[in-house]
Amino acid sequence: MATRGKRKQAAEAPEDKGRYHHGDLRQALVDAAVVLIAEEGFGALSLREVARRAGVTHAAPYRHFADKEALLEAVAHEGFRAMAREMRERMAPHTGPLERLYAAGEAYVLFAVRHPPHFRVMFGPHFTRPMSPPPEPEGEQGAFTLLVSTIEAAQAAGLLRPGESRPLTLTAWSLVHGLASLFVDRQLGESPQGVEGAEALASVQTRLLVEGLRAPARG
């Protein structure tokens, strides 16, 4: 028992106690990683540097993350949860399936513009092993599930072409994701930048998308 007590004291060394001021170490490390990526890019990311920015010892991150990829996965999961939340919030005032689809696409693009580090981690080539699915809050749909269910609702109402929902979902996702990536990487040339520009362009593009997915008019 004495040996265990000594080990516990060693794990909580005075240096840790003196430097650790966060009520939630895990979240503090995730926040520090996001800021570091935004300021210096992925090349600067390391658990050591994240610990320094969070004001904890170099060993502290290993309490929650086995390696850098585990930390990046936590950033990605946070991003997926936030994206789904912003989609739900933008869709909430609307009841019509097409209006909800417009809102979902706009929210997707706006999320990327507001949170570029999260977006890049979520979809970038930063993982050498498969990323685990982001946990979804009980009773709430994730971003992709929201898109699928919205498209299926529009199909059921006869507003979008019938058949399997997956091809339509992939088409919709490809458009909004591509537009979001172009904004994040500043590849749109003279197009308006920033949140207002993204919102305006996303509104136009999602409506053009839906026109292409509409059910054929009955003769």
Side-chain angles (χ1 to χ4, degrees):
M1 294 294 291
T3 302
R4 276 189 197 172
K6 288 180 181 178
R7 285 178 181 170
K8 186 175 180 181
Q9 289 173 5
E12 299 175 350
E15 184 181 4
D16 278 354
K17 289 182 178 180
R19 296 181 61 190
Y20 177 59
H21 304 290
H22 303 287
D24 186 343
L25 173 59
R26 188 180 190 279
Q27 187 60 49
L29 294 168
V30 170
D31 292 344
V34 171
V35 173
L36 178 58
I37 292 167
E39 293 180 353
E40 301 186 35
F42 287 97
L45 185 68
S46 68
L47 288 180
R48 177 178 287 266
E49 178 59 19
V50 167
R52 187 188 70 79
R53 285 175 171 250
V56 298
T57 64
H58 296 156
Y62 293 97
R63 298 174 183 173
H64 296 283
F65 305 110
D67 53 24
K68 184 170 70 173
E69 281 195 29
L71 174 59
L72 285 173
E73 182 174 86
V75 173
H77 284 179
E78 181 177 73
F80 281 113
R81 288 193 299 270
M83 174 185 280
R85 182 173 63 250
E86 292 185 16
M87 288 173 67
R88 288 193 298 268
E89 289 172 355
R90 195 172 181 92
M91 294 166 71
H94 305 287
T95 56
L98 292 186
E99 288 72 22
R100 287 176 62 79
L101 186 56
Y102 299 148
E106 292 161 3
Y108 190 106
V109 175
L110 289 173
F111 170 83
V113 172
R114 291 184 179 121
H115 310 285
H118 281 94
F119 188 77
R120 289 191 171 106
V121 174
M122 290 158 65
F123 299 106
H126 312 296
F127 299 95
T128 60
R129 56 181 181 260
M131 184 172 63
S132 64
E136 296 181 5
E138 187 175 352
E140 295 181 345
Q141 294 179 318
F144 188 74
T145 309
L146 270 172
L147 183 57
V148 172
S149 63
T150 304
I151 285 176
E152 289 178 346
Q155 287 180 299
L159 300 172
L160 296 183
R161 60 186 63 185
E164 290 291 327
S165 61
R166 185 172 180 81
L168 276 66
T169 302
L170 184 58
T171 299
W173 184 26
S174 297
L175 183 137
V176 295
H177 184 80
L179 182 59
S181 297
L182 290 171
F183 266 109
V184 168
D185 294 332
R186 298 184 178 277
Q187 297 296 312
L188 289 174
E190 299 302 316
S191 297
Q193 296 292 319
V195 173
E196 290 185 4
E199 186 170 23
L201 192 52
S203 177
V204 171
Q205 294 301 314
T206 52
R207 282 156 178 77
L208 288 173
L209 166 71
V210 169
E211 284 303 312
L213 298 180
R214 274 188 179 275
R218 294 179 179 176

